[in-house]
Amino acid sequence: GWHPTEAHTYNDQVERRLEAWLELPKVKMLGEIGLDYYWDTAPWDVQAQVFRRQIAIAKSHGLPITIHNRDATEDTYRILKQEGLPAAGGIMHSFSASPEIADVVINKLNFYVSLGGPVTFKNAKQPKEVAKHVPMDRLLVETDAPYLSPHPFRGKRNEPQRVTLVAQQIAELRDMSYEEVCRQTTENAERLFNLNQA
């Protein structure tokens, strides 16, 4: 996918390249796409146009989408509702909103909620509440490497292997075993990405 902070560079050539990549057998999702009002590197209307176009592409290819949403929750939700969602659903990547917004994206959009390093931060109350609130069959874990490294590596370059720290924190918050969190989030990813289909 074409990240919203680069939306101003999106053109027909980029779109043709994306379409070609989506034909590759190992491609399982389009993303991350969405809106980023924090960095403000591309005009908001341009971001919205590129976001809408990529939703249409994902729908035409039958692929789920992964959403980047930074400081743009209301507009992200509005565009997703207006455009209609891929039947395959999607992920709210690096989710940072409230448990109530998590309910909306799960129940109204049929999305999964993915949590990363911030759930391990000492004063990150909202991600911890979301980790306890989201139904286990709609939860995913991620690193967002090289960003958002979990505690005790906060501020350092993140690595994929640190996803274990995210799963360990969720297990602790939910009073579950680490193994059960790993089993369930793996099943969720396999279901979303159709990883067990021949």
Side-chain angles (χ1 to χ4, degrees):
W2 211 250
H3 197 277
T5 58
E6 299 298 319
H8 59 290
T9 66
Y10 192 87
N11 56 36
D12 290 343
Q13 181 181 359
V14 167
E15 188 164 298
R16 285 193 298 272
R17 195 174 346 145
L18 283 176
E19 294 264 18
W21 288 338
L22 294 178
E23 296 298 328
L24 299 173
K26 290 186 179 180
V27 173
K28 298 293 184 178
M29 173 171 268
L30 176 63
E32 51 190 85
I33 62 175
L35 303 173
D36 191 314
Y37 294 173
Y38 178 82
W39 290 112
D40 202 21
T41 58
W44 293 4
D45 62 327
V46 173
Q47 289 187 45
Q49 181 182 13
V50 171
F51 186 22
R52 290 176 190 277
R53 184 63 203 132
Q54 290 184 94
I55 293 169
I57 292 169
K59 287 166 62 176
S60 72
H61 287 270
L63 290 174
I65 54 179
T66 185
I67 301 299
H68 175 98
N69 165 28
R70 190 146 186 209
D71 294 347
T73 299
E74 187 175 316
D75 286 348
T76 299
Y77 179 73
R78 179 179 49 79
I79 289 171
L80 288 167
K81 289 298 285 181
Q82 287 173 346
E83 293 302 313
L85 303 169
I91 299 173
M92 286 296 177
H93 149 72
S94 197
F95 190 80
S96 62
S98 69
E100 293 76 22
I101 298 295
D103 287 341
V104 170
V105 301
I106 292 166
N107 298 321
K108 305 250 187 220
L109 300 178
N110 192 32
F111 270 55
Y112 290 79
V113 169
S114 186
L115 297 174
V119 78
T120 70
F121 300 168
K122 182 179 179 183
N123 294 322
K125 293 184 175 122
Q126 195 156 266
K128 292 179 189 305
E129 289 303 313
V130 169
K132 292 186 281 188
H133 179 80
V134 170
M136 278 305 297
D137 67 343
R138 302 308 278 181
L139 187 63
L140 295 169
V141 293
E142 64 174 274
T143 60
D144 199 24
Y147 310 109
L148 298 175
S149 203
H151 176 80
F153 302 100
R154 188 173 181 180
K156 296 187 165 85
R157 180 182 172 83
N158 204 355
E159 302 291 339
Q161 67 187 4
R162 294 187 183 149
V163 73
T164 59
L165 298 170
V166 175
Q168 287 168 357
Q169 178 66 64
I170 291 170
E172 185 178 312
L173 290 165
R174 295 186 74 112
D175 196 25
M176 297 172 66
S177 72
Y178 168 74
E179 292 76 16
E180 178 61 16
V181 170
C182 292
R183 184 196 64 75
Q184 183 66 62
T185 55
T186 298
E187 282 182 12
N188 295 346
E190 289 172 345
R191 183 170 57 251
L192 176 63
F193 298 124
N194 291 315
L195 297 180
N196 291 327
Q197 291 187 351

